[in-house]
Amino acid sequence: MKPVRVIEGRAVPLERSDVDTDQIIPSDWLKRVERTGFGRGLFSEWRDDPGFILNDQRYVGANILVAGPRFGTGSSREHAVWALMDYGFAAIVAPSFGDIFRNNSSKQGLVIVHLAQEDVDELTRIVKEDSTRLVLIDVDQMVVEVPETDWQRSFALDPLIRERLLNGWDDIGLTMRREASITAYEARSDAPTLEGVFDDAGHVVAH
Amino acid sequence: MAGQTLFEKIWNQHVVASPDGEATILYIDLHLVHEVTSPQAFDGLRLNGRRVRRPDRTLATADHNVPTDPITTPVNDPVSRRQLEALEENCHEFGITVFPRGHENQGIVHIIGPELGVTQPGMTIVCGDSHTSTHGAFGALAFGIGTSEVEHVLATQTLPQQKAKTMAVTVNGKAPRGVSAKDIVLAIVGRLGTGGGAGHVIEYRGEAITDLSMEGRMTVCNMSIEAGARAGLIAVDDTTIAYLRGRPSVPEGDAFDERALHWRSFTSDEDAVFDAEIVLEASEIVPYVTWGTNPAQVVALDGVVPSPDQFEDPDERNSTERSLAYMGLTPGEPIRSIPVDVVFIGSCTNSRIEDLRAAAAVAQGHLVAAGVRALVVPGSHRVKRQAEEEGLDQIFLAAGFEWREPGCSMCLGMNPDQLGAGQRSASTSNRNFEGRQGRGGRTHLVSPVVAAATAVLGHFASPEDVGA
C-alpha cells in the first residue's frame, strides 16, 4: 500500500444516506478474480441516471466523496473499496460508516474522514455552491479544510490506522513481526482442528 | 471485579499479543472460505511468496456463484465459472479442503460449518462474508472480514483487532404462536436500526431466545450485521450441546462429554456488565414484512405501508420517500394487498431443515398462486438430502414450488436466480437493498411460513390465511 499524507482535490456531494456496499458495487461485479477495473462498476445502478451526481460534468475528476450517514453498511465485500479507489476516490467524508467497510478501507489506504452531521452538511453546501473548491485532507494533522476559507475541522483517526496510512505499511508484515507469539499460542491452544476430519476428496472420514 | 461477558471470555482466550499502542493480535480457530472474497487474497499470497499457515483450520466451499439447476448443467456464465474454478485451484495449491459444486458436503458456508460440527463453542471464526455472525449461535465469536483480512488470516491465522463493545439484547417472555426466529430478529433490527449495533458484539438473551432451536438461533445471529453489529452471540446450553452431538467433526463418547463440559463455560457470568443493553417483550412481536430498502424498515404483516409523514427526521423522511418510490408502494396500502411475483425460500438466514419443514407444512395440500414463481433452495446438500428423506421435496413439488440445488442463489443473485426489473419478491433472505436480488428487483423480507403462505395466495399472507 502506498503512503498517504495529504489528499488535495475537489469533492463531490453524494447527499444520500444508508449507501450500502451493494449500492457501491453490485454483486455481478464480485465474480471477477482480479483486483482492478472495479471503478466502472461503482454505483452502477445509479450511473445510468443522467441526474446522478457522478454524471455531473462539474464534479468529474473529484477525488473526495462526501456522503450521508451509514455509508458502506451491509456486505463485507472489499470490492466496494476497490471500486471507490479505482474510480479515483482517495477519501470518503461522512457522519458514520459501516464497520467492515471502515476496516477494509484502512487496509487499502482509502481515508475515512468521520465528521459530525452538521460539519458534513456544511462541507456539502460549500462544494455544492462551488464545485471548483479545493478540499484538503491532512492525514498527519487529522484536519480537513477548504483552503481560502476559514472552514476547517479536525477528525479522529485510530492511531494505528494513521501510522499505517502515513507509512504505507502492509498488515501481514506487521503481524509477522510477532510470529514467535503466534507459534507459542498455537502450542498452548487446544482448539480443535480439521486434522483427520475429511479425506483428500473432502469426504467425512468415519470415526 | 465484575464478571466477564461471553464475548470477553472468548476474546481473552484468543489474545496472541497485545502490544502497547497497537491492535490486539487475535488468534483465529477456523477460517471459512468461499469463491467470491478469496481469489484476490490467494493471489496476494502468491505475489509475496507466502503459504497458508494452517490449512487444518481452513475450510472452503463454493456457494455464492453456483447455479441451482441440476448439477449436470454446466455453469454458463464464464465469469462465475472462472471464479468457481479459481477456488478449487487455489485450495488444491495451498492444501485446503474444498467442497466444489455438487460435492456431498457443499452448501452455503454458514450452513455447512454448523451442520458438519466444524463450528464449535468458544471458537473464533471468520469468513469473507458479513453473515459469518450466524455461527455466534453456538457461543463462538464469528464475524465477517474483507479480502485483505482473508489474506491476512490465510498467512498468519490471526487478525489485528480492536476490541468491540458489548451489547445485551434481551427478548423477555415466550414468543406468541406464529412468531418465528425471523420475526424476532426483524423486530430487533427494526428497533436498533441499521447502525444501532455498530462497534458492538451483541449477545442475545432471554426466554424467547433460549426457547429457540439452534436453527432459529442461527437465523437471529445471522442478521446481527443488519443492525450494524460486528457479531451476535448466544450462550451455550443444552440445546447447543444436543445439536452438536453426533456431528461429523465432533468427538464421540467420553471425549464428547469432556468437550461439552468445556463448552458449557461459554456463557456470560451473572454479574457481567454490558456496554449497552436493550430489552424487547416477546409478547409484542408479530410476523413482519419489510416494506423498504433496508432491513430495519419493517412493518407488521397486519399493518399498512408507512407514510414519509410519520417520520420527524428529514433524513429519514427522505430515505422513506426514496424507498417507497423504489419499491413502487403507496402509503396506507395494506401489506396483505400487495401482490408478489416471486417467492424465494433459501439463504444463510432461512434454508435449514427446520425452515423447510415449516414452509412445507404451510404449503402442503395447496398450490402456488397463478403467475407466481416459487423457489426452494436448500442451504446445503446435507439439508437437501435430509429434506428428501422426509418427503419435503415432494410436498413442495406437488404444490408447484421449484426444488433446486443448494447455494446462495437469489439472496444476492450472483447466479442466474434473479429478479427482473420491477419484480416483487417475498424472500426469506436477509437484505432488501436496492437491486440486491437483481437490478430493479423489489425485495420484501419475511419468515419461511409467511413466504410459503404468500406463495399460495399470491399476496403477503400468514399461514392462518391459507388455513394452515
Side-chain angles (χ1 to χ4, degrees), chain B residues 8 97 214 246 340 370 383 394 431:
Chain B
E8 286 159 341
T97 301
M214 287 316 292
V340 303
V383 170
Q394 294 309 314
R431 286 184 176 144

Side-chain angles (χ1 to χ4, degrees), chain B residues 46-387:
Chain B
R46 267 189 293 267
L47 278 173
N48 294 292
R50 288 169 172 145
R51 63 188 177 96
V52 173
R53 184 179 178 89
R54 297 299 298 263
D56 60 339
R57 296 195 177 280
T58 313
L59 183 64
T61 185
D63 60 4
H64 282 61
N65 272 283
V66 292
T68 57
D69 299 311
I71 49 171
T72 47
T73 352
V75 184
N76 289 320
D77 178 346
V79 197
S80 287
R81 192 169 59 230
R82 179 69 205 108
Q83 205 170 53
L84 290 164
E85 287 165 358
L87 179 72
E88 275 192 79
E89 289 160 10
N90 286 327
C91 288
H92 290 146
E93 179 181 339
F94 288 97
I96 296 167
T97 301
V98 58
F99 307 138
R101 177 181 181 222
H103 191 285
E104 62 181 25
N105 291 328
Q106 181 254 326
I108 305 174
V109 65
H110 309 310
I111 305 289
I112 66 160
E115 74 184 4
L116 291 168
V118 163
T119 298
Q120 294 179 16
M123 278 184 160
T124 46
I125 301 173
V126 297
C127 173
D129 187 280
S130 58
H131 292 113
T132 308
S133 57
T134 310
H135 308 263
F138 290 81
L141 175 60
F143 52 92
I145 57 178
T147 300
S148 293
E149 291 171 311
V150 170
E151 185 179 337
H152 193 282
V153 177
L154 288 172
T156 71
Q157 206 55 38
T158 68
L159 267 183
Q161 283 287 297
Q162 299 291 353
K163 196 171 179 179
K165 294 191 192 123
T166 55
M167 177 187 285
V169 171
T170 306
V171 188
N172 281 323
K174 295 233 173 261
R177 204 177 155 268
V179 165
S180 69
K182 183 64 162 286
D183 300 308
I184 293 175
V185 72
L186 284 173
I188 294 168
V189 175
R191 166 83 168 272
L192 280 171
T194 54
H200 289 80
V201 167
I202 295 176
E203 182 177 335
Y204 301 97
R205 345 173 70 192
E207 191 180 359
I209 299 293
T210 52
D211 275 355
L212 292 172
S213 64
M214 287 316 292
E215 284 87 348
R217 293 179 189 188
M218 285 189 256
T219 300
V220 171
C221 288
N222 174 274
M223 288 188 71
S224 302
I225 183 70
E226 311 314 335
R230 235 20 245 291
L233 288 167
I234 295 174
V236 174
D237 63 7
D238 292 343
T239 306
T240 325
I241 308 286
Y243 178 95
L244 284 163
R245 190 183 293 276
R247 300 274 157 191
S249 48
V250 299
E252 291 175 313
D254 290 350
F256 179 86
D257 295 333
E258 200 179 304
R259 264 280 142 194
L261 201 64
H262 169 64
W263 290 338
R264 283 186 192 278
S265 65
F266 293 104
T267 60
S268 287
D269 294 334
E270 264 178 47
D271 55 344
V273 180
F274 292 83
D275 297 308
E277 204 152 359
I278 69 160
V279 179
L280 285 83
E281 297 303 326
S283 60
E284 293 168 9
I285 298 177
V286 296
Y288 293 108
V289 177
T290 63
W291 55 267
T293 54
N294 77 54
Q297 292 174 319
V298 295
V299 64
L301 171 64
D302 293 335
V304 301
V305 174
S307 160
D309 303 337
Q310 283 169 240
F311 301 94
E312 297 266 319
D313 176 34
D315 189 53
E316 218 167 328
R317 211 160 40 228
N318 258 330
S319 100
T320 302
E321 272 171 20
R322 195 194 295 273
S323 292
L324 290 178
Y326 180 84
M327 294 298 288
L329 294 173
T330 318
E333 220 176 325
I335 297 296
R336 272 194 170 75
S337 72
I338 302 171
V340 303
D341 305 296
V342 175
V343 171
F344 171 61
I345 298 175
S347 87
C348 58
T349 312
N350 282 127
S351 66
R352 298 177 188 85
I353 189 67
E354 186 178 271
D355 301 315
L356 302 190
R357 284 181 194 140
V362 175
Q364 184 153 31
H366 296 286
L367 281 177
V368 170
V372 173
R373 180 186 180 204
L375 303 80
V376 183
V377 182
S380 68
H381 279 288
R382 284 176 178 259
V383 170
K384 182 165 183 272
R385 284 196 299 274
Q386 185 173 351

Side-chain angles (χ1 to χ4, degrees), chain A residues 31 34 78 99 108 175 186, chain B residues 13 27 40 77 148 152 199:
Chain A
K31 297 176 186 173
E34 302 84 14
E78 194 158 314
D99 279 350
Q108 299 298 321
T175 297
E186 285 176 327
Chain B
Q13 290 180 17
Y27 198 76
Q40 292 90 353
D77 178 346
S148 293
H152 193 282

